Amino acid sequence: MAAGQSCILAFVFIAYFHVAKSTGVAPNIKLNDGREIPSFGLGTWLGLKRDGTRVQVNDDSVEKAVEYAIDAGYRHIDTAHIYNTEDQVGRAINNKIKEGVIKREDIFVTTKLWNSRHAKEDVVPALKESLKQLNLDYIDLYLIHWPIGLLANGSFDTTDNLQTWQGMIEARDQGLAKSIGVSNFNEQQLDRLISLSHVTPAVLQVEINLNLQQPSLLAYCRQHNITVTGYTPFGSLFPSKAVDGAPPPRVDDPALVEVGNKYNKTVPQITLRYLIELGIIPIPKSTTKSRIEQNLALFDFTLTQKERDLLKSYDTGYRTIPVLHWIQHPYYPFEKKQQ
Ligand code: NDP
């Protein structure tokens, strides 16, 4: 390994282990605004079907999942206005507060501003609507979901992200959001926000998995002390989710199974552990109790450098969620090459 690489790795480990107290299983990480975030969370988006349409929310599976998660020791839940799960997340949290399992301050809740509310004056009202759905007084982290604005009829809104960010700052100043950040912004978009607003996002949420490890973006975030949460952490690991042509590995990959056997862990656990060792906060979604519990059991082993090198070798830059229907938007954040 080159000297530069060892330095970066050492930094990641120091940053990762510079953790603070935690009331859950995952240790906390300090954000650049002085607050803390648990280093592992639960996703609550029901996702897309194989035909690309959204799975509809038609039962209380998310509420149950959040309750299982809190009982298992999760203290970080990720939702968004567009997932249509804020009400279930809020009910589960409030149930667990009533049962005395947690206090409000023990749990870190993230929600996100949808693309149709990018006007500066829309941000605070949109957050108030989310808080009403969640039945909470404040959110721990509010994110601009995409740099892409949309009008109500689905056509492109080109409101400057800087305007939206000013609305986010206002939401934080009013105490409605304790921390603010962005999602799906690229390096240039982050840079512009930071240099023109002088308020660095506390968090960037982006897709990170074995096929899309984004080393350059992660280096940028380390340099600016921006914490990264990684969405779709399993990428194309599960054959039921992998679209035609998605690169390996799958969950039965022999080399990954061998690493799992060594630690008595599953391949999903090996994947999540690797992401944690990259310095990322994974937020896997599951509504299955046993998987919710399994996914959190990551804090009792460490991968070797050789194992990390193996996991790194799957990085092909392949994006699971390229949102190609927005590719003509002037603020489309991803590379435009065909996948
Ligand atoms: P994930 O990579 O978390 O995959 C979810 C799938 O994995 C589900 O089908 C789940 O099944 C399955 N699964 C979970 N754990 C296991 C396991 N241990 N073994 C086998 N299967 C398992 O994908 P998501 O796209 O949901 O990403 C996670 C979260 O990230 C979202 O829920 C959302 O909160 C956030 N997100 C944010 C985005 C953004 O633009 N900011 C975009 C996309 C996601 P089951 O539920 O049946 O157990």
Coordinates of all heavy atoms in Angstrom, one line a residue, residues 29-37 165 172 179-181 194 199-204 221 224-227:
I29 N -20.8 9.7 16.0 CA -19.8 10.4 15.3 C -20.1 11.9 15.5 O -21.3 12.3 15.5 CB -19.8 10.0 13.8 CG1 -19.3 8.6 13.6 CG2 -18.9 11.0 13.0 CD1 -19.4 8.1 12.2
K30 N -19.1 12.7 15.6 CA -19.3 14.2 15.8 C -19.5 14.8 14.4 O -18.7 14.6 13.5 CB -18.1 14.8 16.5 CG -18.5 15.3 17.9 CD -17.6 16.4 18.4 CE -18.2 17.1 19.6 NZ -18.8 16.3 20.7
L31 N -20.5 15.6 14.3 CA -20.7 16.4 13.1 C -19.9 17.7 13.1 O -19.5 18.2 14.2 CB -22.2 16.7 12.9 CG -23.1 15.5 12.7 CD1 -24.6 15.9 12.7 CD2 -22.8 14.8 11.4
N32 N -19.8 18.4 12.0 CA -19.0 19.6 11.9 C -19.7 20.8 12.6 O -19.1 21.9 12.8 CB -18.6 20.0 10.5 CG -19.8 20.3 9.6 OD1 -20.9 20.6 10.1 ND2 -19.6 20.3 8.3
D33 N -21.0 20.6 13.0 CA -21.7 21.6 13.8 C -21.7 21.4 15.3 O -22.4 22.0 16.0 CB -23.1 21.8 13.2 CG -24.0 20.5 13.4 OD1 -23.5 19.6 14.0 OD2 -25.1 20.5 12.8
G34 N -20.9 20.3 15.7 CA -20.8 20.0 17.1 C -21.8 19.0 17.6 O -21.7 18.5 18.7
R35 N -22.8 18.7 16.8 CA -23.8 17.7 17.3 C -23.2 16.3 17.0 O -22.2 16.1 16.4 CB -25.1 17.9 16.6 CG -25.6 19.4 16.9 CD -27.0 19.5 16.4 NE -27.9 18.7 17.2 CZ -28.4 18.9 18.4 NH1 -28.1 20.1 19.0 NH2 -29.2 18.1 19.0
E36 N -24.0 15.3 17.3 CA -23.6 13.9 17.1 C -24.6 13.1 16.4 O -25.8 13.3 16.5 CB -23.4 13.2 18.5 CG -22.2 13.7 19.3 CD -22.1 13.1 20.7 OE1 -22.8 12.1 21.0 OE2 -21.3 13.7 21.5
I37 N -24.1 12.1 15.6 CA -25.0 11.3 14.8 C -24.6 9.8 15.0 O -23.4 9.5 15.0 CB -24.9 11.7 13.3 CG1 -25.8 10.8 12.4 CG2 -23.4 11.5 12.8 CD1 -25.9 11.4 11.0
W165 N -30.7 26.5 0.0 CA -29.8 26.3 1.2 C -30.1 27.5 2.2 O -30.0 27.2 3.4 CB -28.4 26.3 0.7 CG -27.4 25.9 1.7 CD1 -26.3 26.7 2.1 CD2 -27.3 24.8 2.5 NE1 -25.6 26.0 3.1 CE2 -26.2 24.9 3.4 CE3 -28.2 23.6 2.7 CZ2 -25.9 23.9 4.3 CZ3 -27.8 22.7 3.6 CH2 -26.7 22.8 4.4
R172 N -32.9 25.8 10.3 CA -32.0 25.5 11.4 C -32.0 26.6 12.5 O -32.1 26.4 13.7 CB -30.5 25.3 10.9 CG -29.6 24.8 12.0 CD -28.2 24.9 11.6 NE -27.8 26.3 11.3 CZ -26.6 26.6 10.8 NH1 -25.7 25.7 10.5 NH2 -26.3 27.9 10.6
S179 N -29.6 20.0 12.6 CA -28.5 20.0 11.7 C -29.1 20.0 10.3 O -30.2 19.6 10.1 CB -27.6 18.8 11.8 OG -27.0 18.7 13.1
I180 N -28.3 20.5 9.3 CA -28.7 20.6 7.9 C -27.7 20.0 7.0 O -26.5 20.1 7.3 CB -29.2 22.0 7.5 CG1 -28.1 23.0 7.8 CG2 -30.5 22.4 8.1 CD1 -28.4 24.4 7.2
G181 N -28.1 19.5 5.9 CA -27.2 18.9 4.9 C -27.9 18.7 3.6 O -29.0 19.3 3.3
I194 N -20.7 25.8 -0.3 CA -19.8 26.1 0.8 C -19.2 27.5 0.6 O -19.2 28.4 1.5 CB -18.7 25.1 1.0 CG1 -19.4 23.7 1.4 CG2 -17.7 25.5 2.0 CD1 -18.4 22.5 1.3
V199 N -21.7 28.2 4.9 CA -22.3 27.3 5.8 C -22.1 25.9 5.2 O -22.7 25.6 4.2 CB -23.8 27.5 6.1 CG1 -24.3 26.4 7.0 CG2 -24.0 28.9 6.7
T200 N -21.2 25.1 5.8 CA -20.8 23.8 5.2 C -21.9 22.8 5.7 O -22.2 22.7 6.9 CB -19.5 23.3 5.8 OG1 -18.5 24.3 5.4 CG2 -19.1 22.0 5.2
P201 N -22.5 22.0 4.7 CA -23.5 21.0 5.2 C -22.8 20.1 6.2 O -21.6 19.7 6.1 CB -23.8 20.3 3.8 CG -23.4 21.2 2.8 CD -22.3 22.1 3.3
A202 N -23.6 19.7 7.2 CA -23.1 18.8 8.2 C -23.0 17.4 7.6 O -22.1 16.6 8.0 CB -24.0 18.8 9.4
V203 N -23.9 17.0 6.7 CA -23.9 15.7 6.1 C -24.2 15.7 4.6 O -24.9 16.6 4.2 CB -25.1 14.9 6.8 CG1 -25.4 13.6 6.1 CG2 -24.8 14.6 8.3
L204 N -23.6 14.8 3.9 CA -23.9 14.5 2.5 C -24.4 13.1 2.5 O -23.8 12.2 3.0 CB -22.7 14.6 1.6 CG -22.9 14.1 0.2 CD1 -23.8 15.1 -0.6 CD2 -21.6 14.0 -0.6
C221 N -15.2 15.1 1.1 CA -16.0 15.3 2.3 C -15.1 15.2 3.6 O -15.3 16.0 4.5 CB -17.1 14.2 2.4 SG -18.4 14.6 1.2
H224 N -13.4 18.5 4.0 CA -14.3 19.6 4.5 C -15.1 19.2 5.8 O -16.0 19.9 6.2 CB -15.3 20.0 3.4 CG -14.6 20.7 2.3 ND1 -14.0 20.1 1.3 CD2 -14.4 22.0 2.1 CE1 -13.4 21.0 0.5 NE2 -13.6 22.2 0.9
N225 N -14.7 18.1 6.4 CA -15.4 17.6 7.6 C -16.9 17.4 7.4 O -17.7 17.8 8.3 CB -15.0 18.6 8.7 CG -15.3 18.0 10.1 OD1 -15.5 16.7 10.2 ND2 -15.3 18.8 11.1
I226 N -17.3 16.9 6.3 CA -18.7 16.6 6.0 C -18.9 15.1 6.2 O -18.2 14.3 5.7 CB -19.1 17.0 4.6 CG1 -18.9 18.5 4.3 CG2 -20.5 16.5 4.3 CD1 -19.0 18.8 2.8
T227 N -19.8 14.7 7.1 CA -20.1 13.3 7.4 C -20.9 12.7 6.2 O -21.8 13.4 5.7 CB -20.8 13.2 8.7 OG1 -19.9 13.7 9.7 CG2 -21.2 11.7 9.0

